[in-house]
Structure formats: C-alpha cells, structure tokens
Amino acid sequence: MMNTNLEIKTKGILAVITGVTSYLLNCFTELVVVLALLMLFDYATGVIGAYFKKELSSWKGLQGILKKFSFMLLVVLGFLIDFVVSYLIEKVGLQFTTNGFFGLATTCWLIGNEGLSILENLAVIGLPMPPFLKPALTKLKDTADSIGGGKDEE
C-alpha cells in the first residue's frame, strides 16, 4: 500500500509538471522570440560598448548573462501567474482566461527595457540615433507597465 500511495503521488507530480510545461510551451510566442533576440543584441552591444570604453570584464559579462537568464525567469513567472489565475477561476466554476495577459505584459515591458538598453549601448559606441526610437521604446515600456497596473520602480 505504501508503494501505491508513493506511485500515485509521483504520477500526480509528473502530471502537474507535464501540464505546466505544456502550458508554458504554448506561451512561447513571437514576442518571446523578439525578446530573446533583443537580449542577445543588448548583450553584444554591451560588450562592444565596454570594449570602446576599455572596461571589458569577464565578471561583468557573467553578470550580464545571469541578468538575461533572470529576465527569462521573469517572463516564465508572468505566464505561470496567468496559469494559476485561470486555473483558480475555472475551479470556482467561471469561464475566464487571462489569455497570457501577465506573461505578455511582462514580455512587452522587457522588450522596451532591452530596446532602451541597446540604444544606450549604441550611444556609447558613438552611433547616431534616430530620434523616434527612444520615445517609441519608452512608450512601449510605459504602456506595458500601465496595463499591468504598476509603476516603473527603476
């Protein structure tokens, strides 16, 4: 009987992990791909900017990689909140879904953040900036922030 209880618990845990993983894979949208590309571009322009300033550092490089990884964890957190909210609402008998609201808002906010960081890095390198990019990226970040009901704490 002990093996049966352990077996049932193990199967339950595996079912939850499989369900959540499947949900997260369905959340892998074009916006997440755009964010991943911008994160790569931001890292690359940051390294180039550090080279121009003669401040290359493997420690800062590692910090940058860990920061990008943490950003992706933040996106996953947003989509997990969507999952939990939808699940709980369904459990009380209501038909409602967040449609990825928290995950998408988090992704858009980070896209704005990464875009602004790329512009800062390119300015360090000395590239001329089109005057419309910074306001557009700031607007994207601020809109994602206001949709989420928060204020930027940076």
Side-chain angles (χ1 to χ4, degrees), residues 13-14 17 20 23 64 83 86-87 94 112-113 124 139 144 148 154:
I13 290 169
L14 288 175
I17 290 170
V20 170
Y23 175 81
F83 177 79
S86 295
Y87 177 83
L94 299 174
N113 191 61
V124 166
K139 181 72 171 169
E154 286 187 33

Side-chain angles (χ1 to χ4, degrees), residues 69-102:
F69 176 76
S70 298
F71 280 170
M72 293 311 286
L73 291 178
L74 193 59
V75 170
V76 169
L77 176 63
F79 283 115
L80 287 175
I81 290 170
D82 286 316
F83 177 79
V84 170
V85 169
S86 295
Y87 177 83
L88 291 174
I89 289 173
E90 183 181 307
K91 284 297 179 189
V92 297
L94 299 174
Q95 292 295 325
F96 175 79
T97 181
T98 63
N99 290 321
F101 172 79
F102 294 105

Side-chain angles (χ1 to χ4, degrees), residues 27 43 53 95 135:
C27 296
Y43 185 79
K53 295 187 321 187
Q95 292 295 325

Side-chain angles (χ1 to χ4, degrees), residues 2-153:
M2 291 292 269
N3 286 341
T4 306
N5 285 338
L6 179 61
E7 193 174 296
I8 291 171
K9 288 178 184 176
T10 302
K11 286 181 181 178
I13 290 169
L14 288 175
V16 168
I17 290 170
T18 302
V20 170
T21 302
S22 174
Y23 175 81
L24 287 173
L25 287 175
N26 285 329
C27 296
F28 191 76
T29 68
E30 294 86 355
L31 289 176
V32 175
V33 173
V34 168
L35 174 60
L37 287 172
L38 288 177
M39 287 172 35
L40 286 171
F41 297 158
D42 181 45
Y43 185 79
T45 58
V47 169
I48 294 168
Y51 174 79
F52 271 72
K53 295 187 321 187
K54 298 182 181 354
E55 294 177 359
L56 275 178
S57 162
S58 58
W59 176 244
K60 283 189 176 184
L62 177 61
Q63 286 176 317
I65 291 170
L66 293 175
K67 183 178 176 183
K68 302 305 178 196
F69 176 76
S70 298
F71 280 170
M72 293 311 286
L73 291 178
L74 193 59
V75 170
V76 169
L77 176 63
F79 283 115
L80 287 175
I81 290 170
D82 286 316
F83 177 79
V84 170
V85 169
S86 295
Y87 177 83
L88 291 174
I89 289 173
E90 183 181 307
K91 284 297 179 189
V92 297
L94 299 174
Q95 292 295 325
F96 175 79
T97 181
T98 63
N99 290 321
F101 172 79
F102 294 105
L104 292 174
T106 301
T107 303
C108 287
W109 188 87
L110 287 169
I111 286 171
N113 191 61
E114 290 297 288
L116 290 169
S117 181
I118 290 168
L119 291 182
E120 290 171 5
N121 293 338
L122 293 175
V124 166
I125 296 168
L127 268 62
M129 292 297 123
F132 55 85
L133 281 182
K134 186 172 183 178
L137 290 166
T138 301
K139 181 72 171 169
L140 173 63
K141 185 177 175 186
D142 291 347
T143 300
D145 193 45
S146 66
I147 287 172
K151 291 196 177 215
D152 191 358
E153 294 181 16

